[in-house]
Amino acid sequence: MIDYQAVLKKHKPTEAQNSELKAIAQSIIDKTEEVVKRLSVKAKVLLVGSVAKGTNLASGDLDIFVVFSKDYRTREMEELGLKIGHEVIPDGSEKYAEHPYVSGYVGERKIDIVPCFELTPKSRIISSVDRTPLHTEFVLKKLGDAGKDEVRLLKLFMKTTGVYGSEIKVSGFSGYVCELLIIKFGSMLKVVEEFSRARGPLRLALNGEDTDLEKYDSPVVIIDPTDITRNAAAAISEENYSRMKINCRMFLKTPHAGYFTDDRSYSPELFRERGTAVRIFLLERPEIIDDILFSQAARFRGILVQILKEQGFEPINSEVELSEKIEVLVECKTDRIAGTRVHMGPPVDAQNAMDFISKWMGNSLLGPYVCGNRLCTDIAVENRDLESVVREDLKKFSIGKNIDHLKEGLEIVDPISNKQKYLVTGKFYRKELRE
Amino acid sequence: MIDYQAVLKKHKPTEAQNSELKAIAQSIIDKTEEVVKRLSVKAKVLLVGSVAKGTNLASGDLDIFVVFSKDYRTREMEELGLKIGHEVIPDGSEKYAEHPYVSGYVGERKIDIVPCFELTPKSRIISSVDRTPLHTEFVLKKLGDAGKDEVRLLKLFMKTTGVYGSEIKVSGFSGYVCELLIIKFGSMLKVVEEFSRARGPLRLALNGEDTDLEKYDSPVVIIDPTDITRNAAAAISEENYSRMKINCRMFLKTPHAGYFTDDRSYSPELFRERGTAVRIFLLERPEIIDDILFSQAARFRGILVQILKEQGFEPINSEVELSEKIEVLVECKTDRIAGTRVHMGPPVDAQNAMDFISKWMGNSLLGPYVCGNRLCTDIAVENRDLESVVREDLKKFSIGKNIDHLKEGLEIVDPISNKQKYLVTGKFYRKELRE
């Protein structure tokens, strides 16, 4: 039997932590309201997110929303939002989601001051951020105290299995989706049972909302009760849905506390026994928001894999992660390709057969020669080393608007000889299912 | 300009050699006729082949046919044929073509005593060997003295370009086909011009014989004038026909004496610069005729290439040759494969998903894990070395009736470290077209 109270004790904020959190939240709210008043802005200040809903883990952020009257134009709202944010958190930095906002720290606690428009359940959508206050309201109304801890357990389960987070980098389950699942099924265990039984896509409406569930083609569809035209689970990738399903089945077969705390640790030394060529490609990280950066980093990974595949290094695994750097790991079957490539030429009967011979005669390791009804020739491969092939071929590609200029600074690391730790190495190993 | 007289002087038998050859032939014929008479066999003794036709090169064999009356049954003819052969060449050995025959040496000159049935142009075919005397008769009638030297030049051209010989090992042009081509077109150069212009298959009838040339699907069709139902060029493979066409075009573009004497030499050291893994696989040679042995050796090559391909060594070239051993050369991109193989499992929704996990959990280098909507796992490759993989996997295959029992004695040689010369190495390099 798993001692869920022990699990919660480890990850749930203590009374003292919660009091401190509330005090910080209240002081930020007071400060924000003061600025709003001073600038004569028509806006309400709201604590939203997991702290507001009481479903936060010990490590949770504080999300303060400045909810503007719809009298403002978007541009005006955004400018005022930033102005307010900077006044409240003087050393905060600007970030860009659907609206720009200011993010900073009070002690170790991350705080976001996010402007949005006031929205009623029936009103026209301006942006999905504007809906956040409605989510907070809905969850506060529907989720009891017991439910809040179940949400925490579900989040922990999803964190350890790598599917928690709706940002593009993760493409998994958001906190709001966790809350909706607990509201729908009642407990973490019931949710896990539900996923363990699921085959194919999952389609849920909380209260039998009058909507056509079949019109969505996302792997998971959960109708947002605050806007029945929206799939609250649209961010979830097929891989993460698959991962959730199989982890739920495995947990029910052999339940243990390891599903709520990821205490596995890996040494890059483990790469040695794989008998492959692993390289970590590092780029400097530009100052743009994760969602945009991650898309470009993913494209960079795709290009690296494509180059290595085309040149015969046979990539078999790859991962991408963001830390202070962009980290891409690619594992290949070899880091040195053969010195000879067989180049297939035209059929001997083709018009250009003699041209092919003139071109390669004296420029081949062997050939041209006849193979079947065609000409072939064995060409010397000059660039046989993984790292120099990548550096050379990468010149031909644009890897993304915001990172292309960073290619020159590309660092290539062999994790077997370089003992530094990289986030992407952990990601590589953590995809492994739990025993 | 090529000095064809010089070429011929080098390869054509001298007057003295021809006198000696004729003396040997006559003494063998006399001896054979004496045995035939003594045994009261109803048979004529005939000198056939290139010596009889005056188209022989200095190195040519002597072919003596014992042409039996059709009163004999096949078995009887074959038994008597061997008896006669052994009496004529006491230390000769038995060989098996369409009929068994005796082969041996007088000095350095190879002599075959071949029994066959008498055949008239209109008679029913018993075996194609039986037609040889008719070929000799036809060529002697149609080919003038000038033509004989043209045949020699054509044979030399084909020898150096690797397409001469109708045995399965070569699958090229027979001496008889060379003679028919000279009878048809008049000279070596005219034949070369003909092939240089050819595109697609070549179909020839010498005297506009009344036959449907289109019914054959061999790359080269030359109707046998002694039997218009037969394609005298059926042995020629598409590769050799292609090789002949392209060599003829290259010769006409840059004619030089190198097309009549193969004076290229290669050192196994050349393998070093290829940056690949080359191995020569050697089997003892059993006492069976080349045509049967070669088919099995070719199958052995195919199996080696298949094993090496399936196991990821990426074979890029291979050759097979017969010497005192069966020699197979395979060139691979690597002689050591990666230590990890990604094993794709079932979709997570499949019935056997949990079985896959149970099977591989703890038996994988990493995994099982989820990739897309499937399960995968990274398996350790235990046997990574080319030579030991071949020895292991070869156990699963039967490589041929007459050579399967020789697998145990398989020798594997790396031509870079082993300086011995192998015929197959020469074959590997000689496929290269001439400059």
Side-chain angles (χ1 to χ4, degrees):
Chain A
M1 272 299 293
I2 300 168
D3 182 348
Y4 289 116
Q5 286 313 314
V7 170
L8 284 169
K9 199 169 168 198
K10 202 163 167 185
H11 297 284
K12 188 177 164 173
T14 60
E15 284 300 324
Q17 281 173 324
N18 255 341
S19 305
E20 188 207 341
L21 206 53
K22 284 197 172 135
I24 298 174
Q26 198 51 56
S27 91
I28 299 282
I29 290 171
D30 291 347
K31 210 162 160 189
T32 312
E33 279 176 340
E34 189 190 306
V35 178
V36 165
K37 199 172 174 188
R38 174 153 47 80
L39 297 175
S40 306
V41 170
K42 281 191 278 182
K44 284 181 289 189
V45 180
L46 267 184
L47 177 66
V48 296
S50 61
V51 174
K53 293 179 276 190
T55 58
N56 56 315
L57 296 172
S59 54
D61 304 342
L62 274 179
D63 298 318
I64 310 284
F65 271 43
V66 185
V67 188
F68 281 70
S69 150
K70 280 189 284 184
D71 296 346
Y72 292 94
R73 278 168 300 131
T74 303
R75 183 110 179 246
E76 213 175 0
M77 176 276 269
E78 291 183 353
E79 276 171 11
L80 283 166
L82 285 176
K83 194 176 167 67
I84 294 163
H86 282 303
E87 290 214 21
V88 176
I89 315 174
D91 54 356
S93 58
E94 291 184 14
K95 302 252 165 145
Y96 300 84
E98 289 180 84
H99 305 307
Y101 66 96
V102 172
S103 179
Y105 286 86
V106 170
E108 298 226 320
R109 187 65 61 179
K110 189 162 158 269
I111 293 165
D112 294 338
I113 310 280
V114 181
C116 72
F117 278 119
E118 187 180 24
L119 210 64
T120 55
K122 294 263 162 94
S123 67
R124 197 172 56 84
I125 299 156
I126 301 179
S127 87
S128 72
V129 154
D130 305 337
R131 208 177 292 104
T132 306
L134 300 181
H135 293 166
T136 304
E137 199 179 316
F138 178 82
V139 171
L140 279 171
K141 203 165 70 192
K142 296 284 187 178
L143 194 69
D145 274 343
K148 289 173 184 171
D149 279 349
E150 295 295 334
V151 169
R152 289 189 175 99
L153 288 173
L154 184 57
K155 283 182 179 179
L156 288 169
F157 184 89
M158 288 179 168
K159 264 180 187 262
T160 53
T161 52
V163 302
Y164 183 70
S166 61
E167 60 270 34
I168 289 179
K169 192 175 102 169
V170 179
S171 299
F173 294 74
S174 68
Y176 182 51
V177 163
C178 288
E179 288 149 0
L180 292 180
L181 286 168
I182 296 297
I183 290 167
K184 172 84 179 174
F185 298 110
S187 73
M188 179 276 296
L189 210 56
K190 287 269 195 292
V191 172
V192 166
E193 282 166 4
E194 196 67 27
F195 276 89
S196 78
R197 278 192 297 266
R199 297 289 183 277
L202 186 73
R203 311 217 181 285
L204 296 175
L206 261 66
N207 301 307
E209 285 91 346
D210 182 22
T211 184
D212 177 12
L213 284 169
E214 298 305 317
K215 77 177 179 191
Y216 298 92
D217 60 2
S218 305
V220 184
V221 178
I222 302 173
I223 300 303
D224 185 347
T226 74
D227 177 0
I228 60 162
T229 68
R230 178 182 171 261
N231 173 17
I236 300 164
S237 68
E238 180 167 44
E239 183 161 287
N240 277 326
Y241 174 46
S242 299
R243 203 168 269 152
M244 180 64 180
K245 283 190 281 189
I246 203 79
N247 270 292
C248 289
R249 278 179 239 159
M250 290 186 68
F251 174 76
L252 292 176
K253 199 179 156 209
T254 320
H256 62 83
Y259 279 91
F260 300 93
T261 310
D262 196 345
D263 49 8
R264 299 179 299 173
S265 74
Y266 296 100
S267 150
E269 277 296 305
L270 289 173
F271 283 123
R272 199 184 293 275
E273 71 182 33
R274 294 177 65 83
T276 54
V278 180
R279 292 295 183 283
I280 298 169
F281 300 86
L282 300 167
L283 289 180
E284 286 304 320
R285 180 186 176 137
E287 269 296 324
I288 52 172
I289 61 158
D290 276 13
D291 275 5
I292 293 173
L293 182 57
F294 191 81
S295 301
Q296 294 182 25
R299 180 181 153 77
F300 177 47
R301 160 168 91 163
I303 288 168
L304 286 173
V305 169
Q306 182 190 336
I307 288 171
L308 290 165
K309 190 171 177 182
E310 279 172 3
Q311 299 291 338
F313 294 92
E314 297 183 78
I316 57 172
N317 279 304
S318 67
E319 286 293 348
V320 54
E321 186 56 285
L322 301 178
S323 60
E324 315 88 74
K325 307 238 174 176
I326 297 164
E327 306 181 357
V328 176
L329 179 153
V330 187
E331 180 179 35
C332 293
K333 288 204 171 178
T334 184
D335 57 8
R336 191 166 167 77
I337 49 173
T340 299
R341 195 164 59 79
V342 177
H343 177 46
M344 185 84 89
V348 298
D349 283 352
Q351 282 237 313
N352 58 342
M354 294 299 280
D355 297 341
F356 179 85
I357 293 173
S358 306
K359 181 176 175 194
W360 292 109
M361 184 70 82
N363 295 315
S364 297
L365 280 174
L366 182 75
Y369 55 87
V370 174
C371 37
N373 69 344
R374 302 186 81 106
L375 291 165
C376 291
T377 201
D378 294 351
I379 299 173
V381 176
E382 298 300 342
N383 201 350
R384 299 173 57 186
D385 174 70
L386 189 154
E387 301 191 16
S388 70
V389 165
V390 166
R391 285 189 192 281
E392 187 57 36
D393 285 14
L394 215 45
K395 292 178 190 160
K396 301 173 209 157
F397 290 89
S398 167
I399 58 172
K401 191 180 156 194
N402 300 100
I403 61 174
D404 204 47
H405 65 289
L406 302 166
K407 277 192 308 194
E408 287 298 306
L410 174 67
E411 230 185 302
I412 305 176
V413 165
D414 180 345
I416 292 175
S417 53
N418 180 308
K419 306 294 176 199
Q420 237 181 295
K421 294 239 170 185
Y422 295 97
L423 275 187
V424 74
T425 311
K427 193 169 176 194
F428 178 81
Y429 278 106
R430 280 201 182 79
K431 68 184 174 190
E432 189 170 44
L433 295 172
R434 272 170 183 70
E435 248 181 290
Chain B
M1 272 299 292
I2 298 169
D3 184 347
Y4 289 115
Q5 285 315 312
V7 170
L8 284 169
K9 201 168 166 198
K10 203 164 165 184
H11 297 283
K12 187 178 164 174
T14 59
E15 283 301 320
Q17 281 173 322
N18 255 339
S19 303
E20 188 208 340
L21 205 53
K22 282 198 173 134
I24 298 174
Q26 198 53 54
S27 91
I28 299 281
I29 290 171
D30 290 348
K31 212 166 158 183
T32 313
E33 278 177 340
E34 190 191 302
V35 178
V36 164
K37 199 173 173 187
R38 177 155 44 79
L39 297 175
S40 304
V41 171
K42 279 190 281 180
K44 281 180 290 186
V45 181
L46 267 184
L47 176 66
V48 297
S50 63
V51 174
K53 291 180 278 190
T55 59
N56 56 314
L57 297 171
S59 54
D61 303 341
L62 273 179
D63 297 318
I64 310 283
F65 270 43
V66 183
V67 186
F68 280 70
S69 151
K70 280 189 283 184
D71 296 346
Y72 291 94
R73 277 168 299 131
T74 302
R75 182 112 181 244
E76 211 174 3
M77 177 272 271
E78 291 183 351
E79 276 170 13
L80 283 166
L82 286 176
K83 192 175 167 70
I84 296 164
H86 281 303
E87 289 213 22
V88 176
I89 316 174
D91 54 352
S93 57
E94 290 183 16
K95 302 252 166 145
Y96 299 83
E98 287 179 85
H99 306 306
Y101 65 96
V102 172
S103 179
Y105 286 86
V106 170
E108 299 225 318
R109 187 66 59 177
K110 187 162 158 268
I111 293 166
D112 292 339
I113 310 279
V114 181
C116 73
F117 278 119
E118 188 180 22
L119 210 67
T120 54
K122 295 262 160 96
S123 67
R124 196 171 56 84
I125 299 157
I126 300 179
S127 88
S128 72
V129 153
D130 305 336
R131 207 177 292 102
T132 306
L134 300 180
H135 294 167
T136 304
E137 198 182 316
F138 179 82
V139 171
L140 279 171
K141 203 166 73 191
K142 295 284 186 178
L143 193 70
D145 274 343
K148 290 173 183 172
D149 278 351
E150 294 296 332
V151 169
R152 288 188 174 97
L153 289 173
L154 184 57
K155 284 181 178 179
L156 287 169
F157 183 90
M158 288 178 167
K159 264 178 186 264
T160 54
T161 52
V163 302
Y164 183 70
S166 59
E167 60 270 34
I168 289 178
K169 192 176 104 168
V170 180
S171 299
F173 294 74
S174 67
Y176 183 50
V177 163
C178 288
E179 289 150 359
L180 293 179
L181 286 168
I182 296 298
I183 290 168
K184 172 85 180 177
F185 298 111
S187 72
M188 178 276 297
L189 209 58
K190 286 269 194 295
V191 172
V192 166
E193 282 168 5
E194 197 67 26
F195 276 89
S196 78
R197 279 192 297 265
R199 297 290 183 278
L202 185 73
R203 311 214 182 285
L204 296 175
L206 260 67
N207 300 306
E209 284 92 344
D210 181 22
T211 185
D212 178 12
L213 285 170
E214 299 305 316
K215 78 178 178 189
Y216 297 94
D217 62 1
S218 305
V220 184
V221 178
I222 302 174
I223 299 303
D224 184 349
T226 74
D227 176 1
I228 60 164
T229 66
R230 177 180 172 262
N231 173 17
I236 301 164
S237 69
E238 180 168 46
E239 184 161 287
N240 277 326
Y241 174 47
S242 298
R243 201 169 271 152
M244 179 65 182
K245 282 190 281 190
I246 203 79
N247 271 292
C248 288
R249 278 179 238 158
M250 291 187 68
F251 173 76
L252 292 175
K253 199 178 158 211
T254 320
H256 63 81
Y259 278 91
F260 301 93
T261 310
D262 197 345
D263 49 9
R264 302 180 297 174
S265 73
Y266 295 101
S267 150
E269 277 296 305
L270 289 171
F271 283 123
R272 198 183 295 275
E273 70 182 34
R274 294 176 65 84
T276 53
V278 180
R279 292 295 184 283
I280 298 169
F281 301 86
L282 300 167
L283 289 181
E284 286 305 319
R285 180 187 176 140
E287 269 295 322
I288 52 171
I289 62 159
D290 274 15
D291 275 5
I292 293 174
L293 181 58
F294 191 81
S295 301
Q296 295 183 25
R299 180 180 153 78
F300 176 46
R301 160 168 94 163
I303 288 167
L304 287 172
V305 169
Q306 184 191 335
I307 288 171
L308 290 165
K309 190 172 178 180
E310 277 172 4
Q311 299 291 337
F313 293 93
E314 297 184 78
I316 58 172
N317 278 306
S318 67
E319 286 294 346
V320 54
E321 184 58 284
L322 300 178
S323 60
E324 315 87 76
K325 306 235 174 178
I326 296 164
E327 305 182 359
V328 175
L329 180 153
V330 186
E331 181 178 35
C332 292
K333 289 203 170 176
T334 184
D335 57 9
R336 191 166 166 80
I337 50 174
T340 300
R341 195 164 60 79
V342 178
H343 177 47
M344 184 85 89
V348 298
D349 282 352
Q351 282 238 315
N352 57 341
M354 294 299 280
D355 296 340
F356 180 85
I357 294 173
S358 307
K359 179 175 176 190
W360 292 108
M361 184 71 82
N363 295 315
S364 297
L365 279 172
L366 182 75
Y369 54 88
V370 173
C371 37
N373 69 344
R374 302 185 80 105
L375 291 165
C376 291
T377 201
D378 294 351
I379 299 174
V381 175
E382 298 301 340
N383 201 350
R384 300 172 59 186
D385 173 69
L386 188 153
E387 300 190 15
S388 71
V389 165
V390 166
R391 286 189 191 281
E392 187 58 35
D393 284 14
L394 215 45
K395 291 176 191 161
K396 302 174 208 155
F397 290 90
S398 166
I399 58 173
K401 190 181 156 195
N402 301 101
I403 61 175
D404 205 46
H405 65 289
L406 302 166
K407 277 192 310 195
E408 287 298 305
L410 175 69
E411 231 185 301
I412 305 176
V413 165
D414 180 345
I416 292 174
S417 53
N418 178 309
K419 304 296 177 197
Q420 236 181 297
K421 294 241 169 182
Y422 294 97
L423 275 185
V424 74
T425 311
K427 194 171 174 192
F428 179 81
Y429 276 107
R430 280 200 183 82
K431 69 185 173 189
E432 189 170 46
L433 295 173
R434 276 172 180 69
E435 247 180 289

